[in-house]
Amino acid sequence: MRMRALVLGAAAGGGLPQWNCGCDNCAAARKGVIAPQTQSSLAVTSDGAHWTVLNASPDIRAQLAANAQMWPTGPRISPLRSLIITNGDIDHIGGLLTLREKQPFIIYLTEAIDAVLRANPVFLAMDNALVERRICKLEEWFELNSTSRARLFAVPGKVPLFMESGTVETQMLGEQTVGVEYEANGARLLYIPGCAAMTDAIDAKISDADLVLFDGTLYADDEMIAAGLGQKTGLRMGHMPMSGAGGSLETFKPYDHVRKIYVHMNNTNPVWLPDSAERWHAQDCGWEIGHDGMEITL
Ligand code: MLT
Ligand code: MN
Ligand code: ZN
């Protein structure tokens, strides 16, 4: 084993079902016809004992309880040793408030994402003496332990939804939205739960990776509008769709050695349905559909 990756939450912000949504997928999840899914998070390890959690979802309490890999091994000894944050949206930072119980760990994040936390004093609930925030520069490796390291890289995206004002630039390339490159014992994983567009730089990283977990928010860019659930396209929300011109099914090159898994699926996405044509098409294109509790060993 070089690394293990555990999908703690495969759904986008809101989860499946989302509390106020009665769409077909959410209704099916409530009835147990399809498995409910929690909000966006991944855990990775190079030794099976010490885990780094990528994004702290509002569902983290249930996620840590549902996966034995994450259970404490003694009084106040959690396998969760560090966290990496990829943007300031609530689905990726809300869980920090759950992790406030006097537990030491390290949070790695960019200056821009740390500024979002600093602007919200509720995050002072995490004891600064125990929870260290390490500011990371883009593209600079940092050691997580003796057998693993990570670096953050710019991904086209936007400011967090709750900080939008005026005209919103949806394809900013900088520190607001980042991907994570995680390397353990020579194996390389990319985690990109939000991505508004493919770039040459991201494509080059994918060609060097063994495993990529990628933004699967919407299948069709206009699916929320078509379902009568909102006015926004996926691209307006900072997420490239799976289908269509410029979508991930088209833009991903067929690198044979790279395992591709969709994560951060919105509850409207038809790939949640086991027999949908959309799910079959994504699988035919070489993708796996992530789900809560999915574990990958490299
Ligand atoms: C997103 O990925 O677009 C956000 O999670 C939206 C939200 O915070 O609800
Ligand atoms: Mn999100
Ligand atoms: Zn729904």
Side-chain angles (χ1 to χ4, degrees), residues 18 21-23 25-26 229 267-268:
Q18 178 174 307
C21 189
C23 78
N25 283 352
C26 286
L229 297 172
N267 49 66
T268 52

